[in-house]
């Protein structure tokens, strides 16, 4: 609920547990209050909650149980996904024996809550280390004192993890909890890597490759793989990951827009292209510009595909809805004068649960297309 929807919240301490009533006095449920965010209250229960730390422990256990049922063939997955696990403001990722957590709200930052988070994770998952990744901008918005990313508990902040272990021996990645983007890897794409690998063939171009997620899944089943990213540290890690998997791939540091323009002009052709750009629309205001960006990328990639080629095209902008994304990709196909079949229409992996009544929990789109002429 936004601050503008609140009739009254005088004297409510930052991060406290509040009972929410409507103007007629009807009880709506229990929420976490933020004194500074535009999202003033985040509902956590339809009923009353007496003990927040106890509820947090119970929900962490439930989140872990849900993954035990639904996640397999990986030792890296999201253990807790904020609203998706009814714990707004808490993200926990597991990378083999290292856990990485992010705390994004006043309520989750309170000392007794932090304590129970660590204790429950240690008991349930027995990690060798727990790191906290701090988003400095969010702490500032939540008016929380600045903190550094650091090892919170245990000895280990780096490790090796493996995913999609049904594919040969799986794909292995290095993890350093104190480096890189997001919490270290883009775990939401895990199932999409395996899905796309089924169709990938020939010469591959993985655009916005980061540390090689798609590229490494395709190596060995295609004739060549080239990854493109603007971040040198990401590509250095990608190269180390390639070595770890005994693969040889080509990595190019550059701006994807410029590179695609150049390659298209030079009549380069590929059999498989992946487009996995960063979120172009961080706010609703950016939507038009973002759609223009997606259109340009998709159009250029489509022109470069050989007949029978595969395009894996993604968007992680929440503000670009599924329908918007379909429309912009379809528009690009029309301009490219090519017809595509939608082989798969996918979203984030199951360890990133989407709530039926919270559309904001759904953000990732991943279309796997094949060009028929
Ligand atoms: N496909 C990756 C995730 C990509 S995240 C995976 O599965 O792991 C988006 C990536 O785009 C980041 O690595 C970022 O460094 C890169 N990036 C952002 N802007 C870019 C640009 N203009 N050109 C090339 N890469 C860019």
């Amino acid at each position: 609920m936004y601050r503008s929807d609140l009739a009254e919240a005088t004297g409510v301490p930052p991060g406290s547990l509040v009972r929410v009533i409507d103007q007629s006095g009807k009880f709506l449920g229990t929420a976490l209050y933020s004194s500074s965010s535009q999202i003033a209250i985040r509902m956590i229960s339809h009923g009353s909650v007496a003990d927040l730390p106890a509820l947090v422990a119970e929900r962490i256990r439930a989140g872990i149980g849900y993954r035990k049922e639904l996640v397999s063939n990986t030792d890296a997955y999201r253990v807790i996904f904020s609203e998706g696990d009814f714990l707004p403001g808490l993200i926990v990722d597991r990378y083999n024996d290292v856990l990485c957590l992010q705390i994004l709200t006043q309520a989750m930052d309170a000392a007794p809550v932090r304590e129970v988070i660590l204790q429950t994770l240690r008991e349930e998952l027995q990690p060798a280390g727990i790191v906290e990744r701090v988003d400095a901008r969010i702490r500032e918005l939540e008016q929380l004192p600045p903190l550094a990313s650091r090892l919170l508990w245990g000895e280990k902040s780096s490790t090796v993890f493996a995913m999609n272990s049904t594919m040969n021996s799986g794909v292995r990645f290095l993890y350093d909890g104190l480096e890189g983007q997001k919490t270290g890897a883009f775990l939401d794409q895990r199932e999409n890597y395996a899905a796309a690998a089924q169709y990938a063939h020939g010469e591959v171009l993985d655009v916005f490759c980061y540390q090689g997620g798609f590229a490494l899944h395709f190596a060995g089943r295609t004739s060549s793989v080239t990854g493109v990213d603007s971040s040198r540290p990401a590509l250095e890690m990608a190269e180390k990951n390639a070595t770890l998997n005994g693969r040889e791939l080509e990595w190019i540091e550059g701006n994807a827009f410029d590179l695609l323009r150049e390659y298209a002009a030079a009549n380069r052709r590929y059999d498989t292209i992946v487009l996995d750009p960063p979120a172009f629309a961080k706010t609703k205001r950016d939507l038009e510009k973002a759609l223009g960006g997606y259109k340009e990328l998709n159009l250029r990639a489509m022109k470069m595909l050989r007949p029978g080629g595969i395009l894996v095209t993604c968007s992680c902008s929440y503000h670009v809805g599924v329908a918007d994304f379909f429309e912009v990709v379809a528009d690009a196909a029309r301009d490219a004068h090519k017809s595509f079949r939608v082989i798969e229409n996918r979203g984030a992996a199951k360890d990133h649960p989407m709530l039926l009544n919270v559309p904001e929990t759904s953000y990732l789109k991943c279309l796997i297309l094949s060009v028929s002429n």
Side-chain angles (χ1 to χ4, degrees):
M1 253 177 244
Y2 292 107
R3 187 158 305 281
S4 55
D5 298 322
L6 292 192
E8 203 201 313
T10 36
V12 183
S16 55
L17 196 60
V18 291
R19 287 171 60 80
V20 184
I21 49 173
D22 72 9
Q23 274 166 315
S24 68
K26 190 174 148 229
F27 176 64
L28 298 178
T30 307
L32 302 176
Y33 180 69
S34 166
S35 60
S36 62
S37 170
Q38 282 312 307
I39 307 173
I41 60 178
R42 295 166 196 260
M43 300 300 296
I44 53 160
S45 171
H46 296 286
S48 299
V49 175
D51 182 347
L52 181 60
L55 182 77
V56 169
E58 184 190 315
R59 294 208 169 152
I60 291 175
R61 283 190 211 105
I64 292 169
Y66 176 83
R67 272 77 183 168
K68 278 196 182 131
E69 297 275 315
L70 293 176
V71 174
S72 51
N73 303 318
T74 182
D75 58 19
Y77 52 89
R78 181 150 288 187
V79 180
I80 299 295
F81 189 24
S82 200
E83 279 80 2
D85 285 289
F86 315 102
L87 289 168
L90 177 64
I91 289 178
V92 182
D93 285 339
R94 175 179 171 190
Y95 294 95
N96 188 4
D97 52 354
V98 175
L99 298 179
C100 174
L101 65 87
Q102 280 192 312
I103 287 183
L104 308 166
T105 52
Q106 291 172 352
M108 289 296 158
D109 197 55
V113 175
R114 278 182 167 269
E115 207 170 294
V116 81
I117 293 171
L118 281 188
Q119 191 192 336
T120 314
L121 290 172
R122 282 170 51 193
E123 277 169 18
E124 298 292 323
L125 298 170
Q126 282 106 34
I130 304 180
V131 296
E132 177 176 2
R133 301 272 299 214
V134 174
D135 186 329
R137 197 185 63 93
I138 296 230
R139 283 194 76 85
E140 204 178 308
L141 287 175
E142 283 282 291
Q143 293 176 352
L144 293 167
L147 269 183
S149 293
R150 69 217 180 279
L151 186 61
L152 276 188
W153 181 85
E155 302 281 308
K156 249 178 124 172
S157 62
S158 59
T159 191
V160 173
F161 64 92
M163 58 170 68
N164 294 312
S165 41
T166 49
M167 298 174 52
N168 303 322
S169 59
V171 179
R172 308 207 308 148
F173 294 89
L174 294 162
Y175 176 69
D176 186 338
L178 301 174
E179 300 285 336
Q181 304 175 19
K182 276 188 110 183
T183 68
F186 291 84
L187 296 176
D188 50 358
Q189 292 281 27
R190 177 177 50 87
E191 293 173 353
N192 297 334
Y193 298 149
Q198 295 174 262
Y199 317 105
H201 62 273
E203 287 179 68
V204 179
L205 187 65
D206 178 5
V207 188
F208 305 96
C209 66
Y210 187 56
Q211 298 176 350
F214 281 101
L216 288 162
H217 278 81
F218 298 172
R221 36 178 77 215
T222 54
S223 54
S224 69
V225 183
T226 303
V228 179
D229 204 281
S230 59
S231 159
R232 176 176 286 267
L235 294 179
E236 284 168 1
M237 197 69 157
E239 174 59 19
K240 286 187 191 157
N241 286 333
T243 307
L244 183 69
N245 288 279
R247 304 287 183 198
E248 265 188 47
L249 284 73
E250 180 190 26
W251 309 106
I252 299 179
E253 182 185 343
N255 180 321
F257 286 90
D258 296 342
L259 185 120
L260 286 178
R261 201 173 300 131
E262 220 176 89
Y263 279 22
N267 273 327
R268 292 241 197 173
R269 293 288 175 267
Y270 289 91
D271 302 290
T272 303
I273 300 180
V274 179
L275 298 174
D276 185 18
F280 290 148
K282 295 253 194 246
T283 67
K284 225 175 185 166
R285 257 170 290 140
D286 303 331
L287 184 60
E288 281 310 306
K289 220 175 124 222
L291 291 175
Y294 289 118
K295 168 90 183 271
E296 179 177 343
L297 289 175
N298 280 278
L299 175 58
R300 292 195 195 287
M302 284 169 166
K303 285 189 171 165
M304 282 200 276
L305 276 179
R306 293 201 178 98
I310 295 289
L311 177 64
V312 181
T313 182
C314 311
S315 162
C316 57
S317 303
Y318 157 70
H319 296 284
V320 176
V322 178
D324 300 320
F325 190 55
F326 259 96
E327 196 177 313
V328 81
V329 175
D331 215 21
R334 216 172 294 124
D335 287 7
H337 303 292
K338 290 189 180 185
S339 297
F340 288 83
R341 288 196 174 97
V342 180
I343 311 181
E344 295 200 31
N345 171 14
R346 309 179 57 91
K350 287 187 281 291
D351 45 320
H352 293 62
M354 165 186 168
L355 296 186
L356 182 61
N357 285 308
V358 187
E360 290 83 354
T361 52
S362 156
Y363 62 99
L364 184 64
K365 283 114 356 231
C366 173
L367 300 180
I368 305 179
L369 311 174
S370 73
V371 62
S372 44
N373 61 43

